[in-house]
Amino acid sequence: TPARRFGRVLVVANSQSPMSLELATVYQRTRLLPAANILRLPFENPINIGPKDFHDNLLTPVRTRIEQLGAAIDFIVLMRGVPYRVGGRSTTSALTVGGLQNMRPVNGYFGREDYFEGALPYYGARLWLTTMVSAYTFDEALKLIEQSQVRYEDPRSAGTFYFCDGRGPRGSRNRQIEPALMQMQRLGFNAVHVPSHDLDNRNDVLAQFTGHVSLKLGSNRYLPGSIVDNMTSFGGYLLENNRQMSILSFIRHGACGAYGTVAEPTNYPGRWANYTIAARYASGFTLAESYYQTTQDISLGVIVGDPLTAPFGKPCALQMTGPENPVSQSEPLVVPLSIKEGVPGEGIGWAELWLDNQHCILASIAQLRKGTRCSLTVTSGDETLFAQSYTLDEPQDVRRVLLPFTTAKTENGVEIQLAGRRRNRLLIRWMPQTKEPKPARATLLLDTGEQTYERSMPLYLLPVTATCATLDLGTTPPQPGDQLTVQVADHQKIVRAVRGETIDDFVKRAAAYLSSLDLFQENGDWGIQLVKTGETDPHRMLRIVPRKPSSEATVDVQVTVEKQPDSGFAGSLKNGTVPWKLVPLTVIGEGVLSPFVPAVGMTTTLRIPTDQLVPGYHTLTAIACTPRGVHSIADYAFEIIPAQGQRASRIEIQETVLDPGQELAVILAPSKQAIANYPVLIIDGRPVCNWRPATTFGTLPVKSPLVSPGKHTVWVEWTKSQKLPSSMDVRTPITRSNAHDIWIRRPLAHGVHWQPKTIEAGKPAQITFKGDYLRENLTIVTEKGAYPLSRGGDMQWTLDMPAQDPGTYTLTLMGNAETEAFQALPEKLTVK
């Protein structure tokens, strides 16, 4: 168990955009994420980022934060304002695979049916499934986050999955509709085939799959948790002028998930989700898992939506209660906790309970009782590749139960190891011995004598690719006197042909010469492979292969062939630099087994000792996870009062609604125990400043990016250390204060652009506006009157200005005084 709790989603926001920062804060509160899961980075352009800037200013900070979070991250979500295109590829996909150089024709999670975990290697590569929260307006983005939390109990009453016929070349997925309908009907869902690319007057849309440049959405009702997938070229042009329908149009009309491409996809089917996505989503997989499982080439695709959206996931039933009144520090805190399995017969995977996100109170993993029969088999067609079974002679947790099945590579090419951050899953790899292997499966049985828990998963076959340098030596044997010179970096090897030598003999000797170099030793970065291509008269090749398939490195390879005038040896090999190209090396089967376990529920009463409960405000966070990877989470807030009637540390907030840049004023009343220590101001779980001991009045300017607009929770912790702790540090203060909610007004004028700046006197005119926080029911106020804004397009707002007298006018944006800051626009309107 890590020293402190981190969430499974890393949230990346643009620190130069108040809207992006506020969306990150809302997402953090909604998903109950610790403060360390928010990464704030500056970006000038919300659309494009160059490859070098991407690597230095986005990918590297993301990698660093993931390392700091101790491999807790499964998903990354970018808030609107973070660029979504890099080097003609999508930013989300480049982050998923860890860089542009790691893009592959088949993503490592494609075709999988096991739940995703960032701690696992997928065909040797580390992945973090990435999506984006974006919308035309701030209100639409808020609605997306809110409605992504929905869970549906009854598939039949939830709504309908609509499969529409795509139009023309955008209908290449039409043939997938009938098999998809059959899948959905077997799962018990409403699914309908519509012989048109569009829907009209449907009030129950859970999903719409189609293909057209423009769709009519306004007459339909898109339910919470719904997804829309439209096959058209420019759907991923999110904040750009677009002659085809942007996927943000679907978000505007209520959808919670959509997929589009950020560059021309050339109608290549592998760059779009196949229609098995409907069954994946309906089976309880998250939005991110469903898309990455069913989209072969993700390089151009951006998924808009909360990666955790899973309206059909079946979480554990989680209940946590505690005393309603403040609890005395002299008595342990008694908290009843109840967890029940989400799906009968699957059990509970694991559970945790955290105090203040800092201290683990409970870490439980499923237990199996004595006498349980455990069996694992791996088969390919009718052939058994691996089989082992045993009976527990004492109770064991899942990790110890799975450990006896782990093995190095067997003679059948099977390798099994414990996997996942809790080591409670089996990673099974298989290297087929034939060129056309039959489908393989792994099956785990746990038989208690009363019930058998079975989990069976396919091993997914995928080519392993790497960037290699290939020397094609052809099919013709060399003649005596033919010579091959290979220079790798600063090392050179010369191979001269001898009389009677076959092409195979020559290639083996060349490989042996090169293998003697340090570059190709076991601790070197590269290896040498001998490759034959084709069934009859195959070409013989020498291939320089990186030992790590995802390696970004290459090495300079120069080749020279000198041969007799009538020799046909190495006819395909050109003298000079050998290029490095992405090639498939082999085929590997891989799967992950997460066992269903005999743990149908857990009921316990936790007694938290007094030495962990300093006086003040606290939270308990309970987390439970099913064997299918569905999480449930609950919070319980309480207050500990000092023993023996001592006064608790308190704070008061003078003004709880503030404008951006205004000072937050905090009145501190520390207890006798705390007064000689340093008060640390905490906002949303993040330490932001500290004051001197005995401070009774402290201030902090609430400026971005330190504090975003919107709602925040504020409290103070007193500590012995003068050093301001980071969001990564485990904090154990002397005491905590009570908590207050504050609101920072939204800066309506931030990022507003408008035109024209000059209009003609005596004539009405229309002025258009664009801006992050613009919405319905805003007003522009001038020295002569107030005029309403109305929506004139997806991202455009209009003001119909009546005829004005000549002069210069100041435009002030006004809205809700409680939540929005009224601000004059810096440029003035000139009437001539």
Side-chain angles (χ1 to χ4, degrees), residues 322-327 333 335 354-356 608 612-614 616-621 636-640 737:
E324 293 184 2
N325 298 320
V327 180
L333 178 68
V335 179
W354 290 84
L355 175 64
D356 300 325
I608 302 174
Q612 292 184 299
L613 296 171
V614 301
Y617 163 85
H618 296 273
T619 57
L620 281 175
T621 303
Y636 161 61
F638 61 96
E639 184 181 5
I640 297 295
S737 78

Side-chain angles (χ1 to χ4, degrees), residues 725-739:
S726 78
S727 295
M728 304 294 164
D729 295 332
V730 177
R731 306 194 309 272
T732 306
I734 293 169
T735 183
R736 296 169 179 261
S737 78
N738 55 320

Side-chain angles (χ1 to χ4, degrees), residues 184-337:
M184 297 300 291
Q185 289 162 3
R186 284 196 297 268
L187 291 171
F189 281 78
N190 298 319
V192 174
H193 178 196
V194 178
S196 168
H197 65 273
D198 228 336
L199 293 179
D200 190 32
N201 291 311
R202 310 287 179 140
N203 65 358
D204 63 344
V205 183
L206 272 173
Q208 179 182 358
F209 302 100
T210 186
H212 199 257
V213 295
S214 181
L215 299 171
K216 299 175 183 178
L217 306 174
S219 67
N220 302 316
R221 177 173 172 242
Y222 293 88
L223 300 175
S226 60
I227 60 175
V228 180
D229 190 282
N230 180 35
M231 189 178 194
T232 190
S233 295
F234 306 119
Y237 285 43
L238 304 184
L239 304 176
E240 303 164 79
N241 293 326
N242 189 358
R243 63 183 183 272
Q244 298 184 13
M245 176 164 279
S246 166
I247 57 178
L248 295 191
S249 298
F250 310 134
I251 305 302
R252 176 179 178 178
H253 287 86
C256 290
Y259 173 93
T261 50
V262 302
E264 173 58 61
T266 65
N267 202 33
Y268 173 53
R271 290 177 174 150
W272 300 90
N274 60 60
Y275 281 168
T276 61
I277 185 176
R280 303 298 181 93
Y281 197 54
S283 297
F285 286 107
T286 68
L287 176 72
E289 288 170 331
S290 300
Y291 264 108
Y292 282 93
Q293 286 173 341
T294 57
T295 309
Q296 178 179 312
D297 182 354
I298 61 172
S299 60
L300 302 180
V302 57
I303 304 164
V304 170
D306 179 353
L308 299 184
T309 303
F312 307 105
K314 303 295 182 184
C316 297
L318 178 61
Q319 287 188 328
M320 178 174 55
T321 56
E324 293 184 2
N325 298 320
V327 180
S328 172
Q329 189 185 15
S330 61
E331 300 177 2
L333 178 68
V334 179
V335 179
L337 178 66

